[in-house]
Amino acid sequence: MPSNLSDTTADWRARAAWLSTELNRHNHAYYVLDMPSIPDAEYDALFRELQVLEQQHPELQTATSPTQRVGAAPLPQFDQVTHSIPMLSLGNGFEDTDIVEFDRRVRDGLDTHADAEIEYAAELKFDGLAINLRYENGVLVQAATRGDGATGENVTSNIRTVRAIPLKLLTEYPPKVLDVRGEVLMFKADFAKLNQRQRDAELKEFANPRNAAAGSLRQLDSRITAQRTLRFFAYGVGLLEGADMPSSHSALLDWYSELGLPVCNERAVVKGAAGLLAFFRDIGTKRPQLPYEIDGVVYKVNRLQQQQMLGFVSRAPRFALAHKFPAEEATTQVLDIEVQVGRTGAITPVARLAPVFVGGVTVTNATLHNEDEVRRKDIQVGDTVIVRRAGDVIPEVVAFVPEQRPATAKPFVMPAACPVCGSAIIKLEDEAIARCSGGWVKCAAQRKGGLQHFVSRRAMDVEGLGDQLIEQLVDKHIITTAADFYKLGILKLAELDRMADKSAQNVVAALEKSKQTTFARFIYALGIRHVGEATAKELAGHFPSMDALMQASEEKLLEVADIGPVVAKSILNFFADPLNVELVEQLLAAGIYWPQNSPTEVQSKHLLGKIFVLTGTLPTLSRDEAAALIEAAGGKVTGSVSKKTSYVVAGAEAGSKLTKAEELGVAILDEAALRTLLESNVGANE
């Protein structure tokens, strides 16, 4: 601390404020502008001075202090965050013709002249992890991953360690709420340094910068995240309150830059398909020299008003498109061909390869998809083959090089038994994929997937039993079947990694709560092949009890709506296995039950025969809740609009389903109208 600093609270406060401002300014210069303003040693000295000052006077420490980026103690798990506005994915284009067609669709959607040129914002498609940053009154208060688009993971403590992200926006008049959408990534040079540290510590290296960034951001211990140099680029907006929305996407990014948010300089405003393709080719030539990995570029209609006019289709905007770079290829040798057992029992031939660098990673394995594909491509052990990889796509063998096939090459032979559990491998006549017949009760390779399905939200809905926890339970031989879940105690759970007593109590409580379910959910949770949610509901509505379903003949099963010979045979095969019957009996003995008048079963028939389609976000009901209410009144919920559709229930940001309903003249309801219909006896006789 400077010797000339007098011993008064006002002077300490002023010095701390000055240090915070200076350190934030230097962070911005280094991580955002890529223009270091002082040597590292001087920065470190300022940082240490602020740390000491805050330790001596804790009241000086603020949430936006640079010292708060060092990380905190591990969290038991990530909380879930519901995005105010969904984080949608983008449609993809690969060929020039895809881009020309995209431009035509935009012009048609905006009803412009055939020779009109639309203004587009063109930018890079980063190979990182999408994130939403929420600022309230200019201060970073929350950060969440994209997740499934509607709900993500709360990674605020980790994001606070990323020095490229301002903890406070650089403005005197911040918006009340600003959701900044962008990408967390790791630069190539930082990735190389991280892997060198991993090698020095004799730890496993990361496969590529994207995996390193994603793994760093999803650390439960943010102190680990703080040790890794992550970057951030802003490229979109979610909710904005208390400020005017810029008129264009390019203006939005300019505003972000003024607020101190990192924005990539490799962007442009172009016109028409020709401008888009020129930008794509220009970036393609620059790609090897860029300090970060990209897997394509992104095009967006620049004017935000035009974006609103175009709207959305399904889960993607009509006004934007990702133009992906071609897959990268390399040649290598097939050392062996083995089979891998998937979570659904699918037997996949996998080529074990001599290591080859392709698509940004070293590849040693590549999928051959199925036995028919191996035969079609004539891939043999010993062949020199072409391997292709694009982005996160699993590497695949494209073809072998005929002139380099050795005399010792050996054709692939599908094994007769599962390499994991020894059960017979079977292949139905109408399927390309061979499968282990053991099921998840017998086969350890399928077990984790079956158990994860059993506790999933649409099945038994056991909150807190995530994939990682189930993997521990299986790997440590604590559980073998789903019935074992209901034998778990707090002490046993608390012994697991990253499980505190409170978390263990929550899991046990969630398991107890899950015992009261519905017949349809229970059927679905069993994981019977070909029996999805809709089929499970039909079965629950047709059979009065579990015993009746287990003893049903093929003829009885075929009486159920939407069930054909393939599904009927699958159900018969499932209950013909004594282990599956024993599982059902153990689950019921553990206390699982459902009321006679299950919420998913028909209680009132006034909507019988009516077909509903749900689209958009409803004000108070989730889609699952709305569907349950409709089905309880006798209606049926489907996923696509047709002439047979009776009603489309539309919420905010309804997409193509609403458009199609309007074209076909299908009745459209909002949530209030749906509730009125459900509460009345109107509908069946309309």
Side-chain angles (χ1 to χ4, degrees):
M1 196 178 302
S3 58
N4 61 350
L5 188 62
S6 61
D7 193 21
T8 68
T9 300
D11 285 341
W12 295 332
R13 194 176 302 280
R15 181 64 179 175
W18 181 85
L19 287 168
S20 291
T21 300
E22 282 297 287
L23 289 167
N24 283 330
R25 184 171 66 83
H26 295 315
N27 275 337
H28 182 73
Y30 187 93
Y31 291 102
V32 180
L33 303 180
D34 200 22
M35 297 173 59
S37 50
I38 59 171
D40 289 349
E42 289 184 32
Y43 178 92
D44 293 341
L46 293 174
F47 190 88
R48 283 195 297 272
E49 182 185 343
L50 181 59
Q51 276 185 314
V52 171
L53 195 58
E54 290 178 348
Q55 287 168 2
Q56 294 176 347
H57 306 279
E59 71 276 7
L60 300 180
Q61 189 179 92
T62 66
T64 58
S65 170
T67 62
Q68 298 308 292
R69 294 185 181 274
V70 296
L75 298 171
Q77 60 188 38
F78 293 115
D79 294 329
Q80 298 295 299
V81 173
T82 300
H83 300 301
S84 298
I85 296 175
M87 296 182 70
L88 302 177
S89 55
L90 295 177
N92 292 324
F94 299 92
E95 308 293 337
D96 287 4
T97 52
D98 297 333
I99 310 312
V100 172
E101 177 61 19
F102 165 67
D103 178 58
R104 183 197 63 75
R105 290 197 305 271
V106 168
R107 285 186 284 107
D108 288 349
L110 295 174
D111 197 21
T112 62
H113 297 295
D115 57 350
E117 286 192 319
I118 303 298
E119 185 177 85
Y120 294 98
E123 53 196 33
L124 306 186
K125 186 177 184 301
F126 304 107
D127 201 9
L129 190 70
I131 207 84
N132 183 85
L133 308 178
R134 169 154 292 197
Y135 288 87
E136 293 182 1
N137 299 312
V139 176
L140 179 66
V141 297
Q142 187 184 79
T145 61
R146 178 184 180 276
D148 62 4
T151 304
E153 292 177 317
N154 188 334
V155 290
T156 308
S157 58
N158 289 346
I159 280 293
R160 291 178 63 84
T161 72
V162 180
R163 296 189 180 188
I165 295 174
L167 300 178
K168 187 176 182 179
L169 299 177
L170 302 179
T171 176
E172 294 182 10
Y173 307 102
K176 181 181 177 182
V177 178
L178 172 62
D179 280 346
V180 178
R181 303 280 165 84
E183 198 96 355
V184 171
L185 64 159
M186 186 174 285
F187 280 20
K188 295 174 183 175
D190 297 322
F191 173 69
K193 292 176 183 177
L194 173 61
N195 265 350
Q196 183 59 56
R197 293 200 300 270
Q198 293 292 104
R199 286 193 293 273
D200 292 344
E202 297 184 351
L203 298 173
K204 184 180 179 181
E205 294 182 42
F206 289 95
N208 52 51
R210 184 193 187 284
N211 288 358
S216 300
L217 197 60
R218 297 193 75 257
Q219 290 290 326
L220 293 175
D221 188 343
S222 61
R223 292 171 297 192
I224 297 175
T225 311
Q227 296 169 7
R228 299 173 182 176
T229 307
L230 297 176
R231 312 289 181 127
F232 173 79
F233 283 128
Y235 56 60
V237 64
L239 183 66
L240 174 61
E241 293 179 353
D244 293 331
M245 183 73 76
S247 61
S248 68
H249 182 74
S250 56
L252 172 71
L253 297 188
D254 290 341
W255 181 47
Y256 277 170
S257 185
E258 293 171 5
L259 295 176
L261 290 159
V263 176
C264 182
N265 291 325
E266 295 291 344
R267 55 191 171 96
V269 175
V270 302
K271 289 190 175 181
L276 297 176
L277 292 172
F279 179 81
F280 179 77
R281 293 185 179 109
D282 179 53
I283 294 300
T285 60
K286 295 179 179 178
R287 185 185 182 190
Q289 286 75 47
L290 293 174
Y292 38 74
E293 297 285 357
I294 62 173
D295 55 5
V297 301
V298 174
Y299 309 133
K300 299 172 183 173
V301 173
N302 195 34
R303 310 301 298 181
L304 298 191
Q305 184 180 20
Q306 291 181 329
Q307 289 187 8
Q308 292 173 356
M309 291 171 63
L310 290 164
F312 302 83
V313 53
S314 185
R315 296 179 63 83
R318 289 191 178 97
F319 55 79
L321 186 76
H323 191 175
K324 305 290 285 290
F325 288 124
E328 295 186 36
E329 296 182 343
T331 57
T332 188
Q333 187 180 26
V334 178
L335 303 179
D336 199 0
I337 298 177
E338 301 174 356
V339 295
Q340 183 174 290
V341 187
R343 290 183 174 181
T344 63
I347 304 294
T348 304
V350 176
R352 307 302 181 193
L353 306 171
V356 60
F357 193 78
V358 56
V361 300
T362 299
V363 172
T364 55
N365 304 311
T367 180
L368 293 167
H369 298 293
N370 56 62
E371 186 178 11
D372 292 344
E373 190 72 355
V374 179
R375 300 279 177 263
R376 186 181 70 79
K377 293 179 177 178
D378 190 22
I379 306 298
Q380 298 186 17
V381 177
D383 277 342
T384 296
V385 293
I386 300 168
V387 180
R388 176 186 295 158
R389 183 181 183 276
D392 285 333
V393 177
I394 298 171
E396 67 168 337
V397 174
V398 180
F400 79 102
V401 182
E403 56 270 23
Q404 295 188 36
R405 170 168 285 175
T408 54
K410 296 186 296 182
F412 168 71
V413 177
M414 176 66 77
C418 171
V420 176
C421 70
S423 298
I425 290 177
I426 59 174
K427 181 180 174 185
L428 301 179
E429 292 182 6
D430 57 345
E431 291 190 353
I433 298 173
R435 296 182 185 275
C436 164
S437 61
W440 61 279
V441 176
K442 289 183 181 177
C443 185
Q446 300 177 60
R447 187 166 299 140
K448 292 176 183 177
L451 293 170
Q452 287 162 0
H453 169 81
F454 182 84
V455 301
S456 64
R457 184 169 61 88
R458 296 178 183 275
M460 297 302 291
D461 192 20
V462 184
E463 190 173 346
L465 264 177
D467 292 359
Q468 292 182 346
L469 182 56
I470 289 175
E471 287 186 8
Q472 284 193 70
L473 290 168
V474 173
D475 291 343
K476 295 183 178 183
H477 306 291
I478 296 173
I479 62 172
T480 302
T481 74
D484 295 333
F485 281 132
Y486 297 96
K487 302 172 187 175
L488 289 172
I490 294 172
L491 292 178
K492 181 62 71 174
L493 283 167
E495 293 174 0
L496 300 176
D497 296 341
R498 298 174 178 173
M499 280 294 288
D501 287 348
K502 180 62 176 176
S503 299
Q505 290 172 10
N506 291 339
V507 170
V508 171
L511 282 164
E512 186 64 28
K513 180 182 176 183
S514 74
K515 289 181 181 180
Q516 180 175 342
T517 185
T518 68
F519 191 13
R521 278 182 175 270
F522 184 74
I523 295 170
Y524 177 63
L526 293 175
I528 305 170
R529 185 158 160 72
H530 298 305
V531 177
E533 285 182 90
T535 303
K537 288 174 182 176
E538 295 288 354
L539 289 167
H542 188 87
F543 292 98
S545 67
M546 194 70 225
D547 284 340
L549 173 58
M550 289 194 294
Q551 295 167 16
S553 64
E554 184 174 4
E555 291 75 17
K556 285 289 184 183
L557 290 169
L558 290 174
E559 292 175 3
V560 181
D562 298 332
I563 288 187
V566 172
V567 180
K569 186 174 182 180
S570 180
I571 296 169
L572 289 170
N573 287 341
F574 183 86
F575 290 119
D577 190 322
L579 287 177
N580 291 331
V581 174
E582 182 182 353
L583 172 64
V584 172
E585 292 172 348
Q586 288 180 349
L587 288 168
L588 296 179
I592 292 176
Y593 71 98
W594 48 89
Q596 283 297 108
N597 293 322
S598 171
T600 61
E601 294 171 1
V602 175
Q603 297 172 3
S604 167
K605 296 184 180 294
H606 73 277
L607 293 182
L608 194 63
K610 297 296 179 181
I611 299 174
F612 291 73
V613 173
L614 303 172
T615 182
T617 303
L618 300 177
T620 65
L621 291 172
S622 69
R623 288 199 187 184
D624 287 346
E625 290 168 339
L629 290 171
I630 291 167
E631 289 162 356
K636 183 176 181 179
V637 179
T638 63
S640 58
V641 180
S642 70
K643 291 180 180 179
K644 295 181 179 180
T645 304
S646 308
Y647 301 100
V648 167
V649 182
E653 298 186 10
S656 59
K657 294 177 183 177
L658 177 58
T659 304
K660 189 169 183 181
E662 292 169 341
E663 292 172 354
L664 295 175
V666 174
I668 298 169
L669 308 176
D670 59 11
E671 183 180 314
L674 172 64
R675 287 185 179 277
T676 300
L677 186 65
L678 290 166
E679 292 166 4
S680 70
N681 284 321
V682 178
N685 298 315
E686 287 183 344

